[in-house]
Each structure stands twice: as C-alpha cells, then as structure tokens.
Amino acid sequence: MGMAPRFNFLLHAFLYLALATTSFSLSPKFYDNLCPQALPAIKRIVEAAVHREPRMGASLLRLHFHDCFVNGCDGSLLLDSTSAFETEKNARGNFNSVRGFEVVDQIKAEVDRVCGRPVVSCADILAVAARDSVLALGGPTWKVRLGRRDSTTASRTLADSVLPSASMDLPALINNFKNQGLNKRDLVALSGGHTIGLSQCVIFRNRIYNATSIDPAFAKERRATCPRTGGNTNLAPFDPTPARFDTAYFKNLVKERGLLTSDQALFSGGSTDKLVETYSKNPDAFWVDFGKSMIRMGNIKPLTGKQGQIRVNCRKVN
C-alpha cells in the first residue's frame, strides 16, 4: 500500500470520526434549518403560562431537572404508565408533586403545528421551557444545546433511587450530583433554582419543627401554615420572592432561613458555605454559574442521532 492510499484512508477515517462525533453532539443551532419557528413558539407559550401563574416557571424548570437525573435528558419523565413500565411520575420525588404536563402538551402541539410535523423532541422542549421560564421570571438566559431525542421507556425504580431528597445532608447531596457528573458548584448554582417556586408542608415540616440550624422567627412563621399534622399540601415559598429569579434564596441561607434541610445544608459550616456567600452578594456570579450549570445538566446522557425517537405525543411512545 503506497503513501497516498494510506493517507487517504486515514484522512477518511479521521473525517468519518469527526463527523460521527460532531453530528451527534448537542448544538444550539440544531433547529435553525429544521424549523426556525420552533424556539419562538416555545417561548410564546411558556411566557403566557408563566404570566398566568408564576409558579409554573418553577414547575417547568423542575421537570427538566427531574427528567435529566433519571437516565439523562430523554423526556422519560413525561411518559405515562403502560403495561411495559410504570411512570416516573409515581416515584418518591415526583408523586403528587411534579406538574406542568398540560403546558408541555400545549407546547408540543404548537411546535408541531408551526413546524408542520413532529421534529422537536419532548426532551428538547423541557430544556428550552426551563430556560424560557427562568428568563420570564427575571433570571439569566443561556444558549440551550439541542438535538436530544426521546426515550422509549421510563423507570420508576431508577427515579426512586437517583432523585435527590429534601432531607439530604451536604455529603449526600454532593454525592448525588457527582453521580450525574456534576460538581459542588453545579450543586449550589442549581439549588439556586429554589429562588422561584413553592414547596409543600410535608416536605419541610421536619425542618421547621426539629431543626437546630434555623432562624426561630422563620420557623415560627412557617409553622403558622404548616401544622404538625395535616395540611400536607399547604404551600410555602422557598424565599420571600417566589415569582422573581433573584439572589434572595442565598441571602436566606446565610440567615439560616433555608426552607428544606437540603437547602440549609449548603450553608451549614461545610465546603459550600463560601459559594453561597458569593452568590448572596454577587448576582452576576450566580447568573453566569446558573447558566453554565444548566447547560451541564442538560448534557447528561442525551439520546442523539438515530437513538430514541421524536415522540408525536409526549405522554406516549410512538
């Protein structure tokens, strides 16, 4: 074999590998040619939904998070139960808690309408809706990487074991995020998503009645709407401005006014205290890191290329 053919072979092998890796990695431009109307359509519906009910912004952000942590960002959370599998919606961290599915259905219908066919995956819809929700509530923006495809199955048991719990201490939280390829900075920045939205009494009851690392006035205030027994679904905000994406969440942690055990764990004499202080004083630092960490979370184990499918209905496998 002479030099030229061998060089040619290597060149082709190299180009093939380069294409194989680049064409299947996520890109912000994925829909630029496929359907340029897709992203504006998602944004329109998210803005309307969040305007109607600001809490929906937090709910949509959480859907993307709970999707990504269970087998990657593959839209598995959106699937309803079938004879083949039980829905992840029944998992411990999701049951009677995750919401916003009607808005996702609405986005899907509109995007398929403007694109003329199903080209945008349900997994990508969750990633974009999360970003648009944060922006709609006054938060930062970031370039969402796109090109995820949808799973054909779901796992309630995996969801049960991998979704972080509100009762976790710092080492458990660090380990939980590490298992997803996320570091301490990601943990603290993404926890800052709790600057929007509400939590149910059943989730924070233990902390407001039993914790030592809690501002007594704050505990008293929260007990008023969360009795020792009953009122499980009563809602309370994570910070004083649940409809504004700001740094109040971190300012609260410094004052021992974190609502969940897992919130206060980030400022409790451990390795993340400094970062919490930084974010509490420096909105820009939080803004930048939140966007970076959302991109990192959105990159968890996507299905790409010919893997998975583009669902016609986000609740069902094609």
Side-chain angles (χ1 to χ4, degrees), residues 12-46:
H12 280 118
F14 172 75
L15 282 175
Y16 171 75
L17 282 172
L19 285 171
T21 51
T22 55
S23 59
F24 297 151
S25 61
L26 304 182
S27 156
K29 298 178 188 296
F30 190 83
Y31 296 106
D32 286 8
N33 295 322
L34 274 171
C35 178
Q37 313 91 313
L39 268 60
I42 298 174
K43 188 172 194 168
R44 271 198 312 275
I45 294 179
V46 170

Side-chain angles (χ1 to χ4, degrees), residues 240-256:
T241 53
R244 200 159 64 231
F245 200 98
D246 54 22
T247 56
Y249 170 80
F250 296 108
K251 291 191 163 85
N252 257 18
L253 294 186
V254 175
K255 298 183 214 155
E256 295 198 314

Side-chain angles (χ1 to χ4, degrees), residues 146-157:
L146 299 161
R148 298 168 193 78
R149 290 170 63 87
D150 295 322
S151 74
T152 52
T153 188
S155 175
R156 182 219 161 135
T157 48

Side-chain angles (χ1 to χ4, degrees), residues 38-83:
L39 268 60
I42 298 174
K43 188 172 194 168
R44 271 198 312 275
I45 294 179
V46 170
E47 281 178 350
V50 172
H51 185 75
R52 257 198 321 276
E53 184 200 23
R55 180 190 180 199
M56 187 54 72
S59 301
L60 293 171
L61 174 60
R62 188 163 183 247
L63 285 182
H64 180 47
F65 157 42
H66 281 208
D67 177 28
C68 290
F69 267 48
V70 185
N71 245 328
C73 315
D74 61 357
S76 59
L77 173 57
L78 302 174
L79 291 172
D80 288 330
S81 292
T82 68
S83 55

Side-chain angles (χ1 to χ4, degrees), residues 280-301:
S280 76
K281 297 189 182 95
N282 188 341
D284 290 339
F286 172 43
W287 253 226
V288 169
D289 284 357
F290 187 80
K292 282 186 190 165
S293 292
M294 283 298 293
I295 290 169
R296 284 165 55 82
M297 184 178 80
N299 278 339
I300 298 173
K301 273 175 61 179

Side-chain angles (χ1 to χ4, degrees), residues 185-226:
R185 188 175 289 263
D186 298 317
L187 166 65
V188 179
L190 293 172
S191 295
H194 283 178
T195 176
I196 55 175
L198 312 169
S199 177
Q200 298 186 33
C201 163
V202 66
I203 306 297
F204 61 83
R205 176 183 283 126
N206 185 45
R207 173 159 160 77
I208 63 169
Y209 287 102
N210 301 319
T212 46
S213 59
I214 192 165
D215 169 0
F218 173 70
K220 189 176 180 214
E221 193 184 330
R222 284 291 155 263
R223 287 172 189 157
T225 55
C226 180

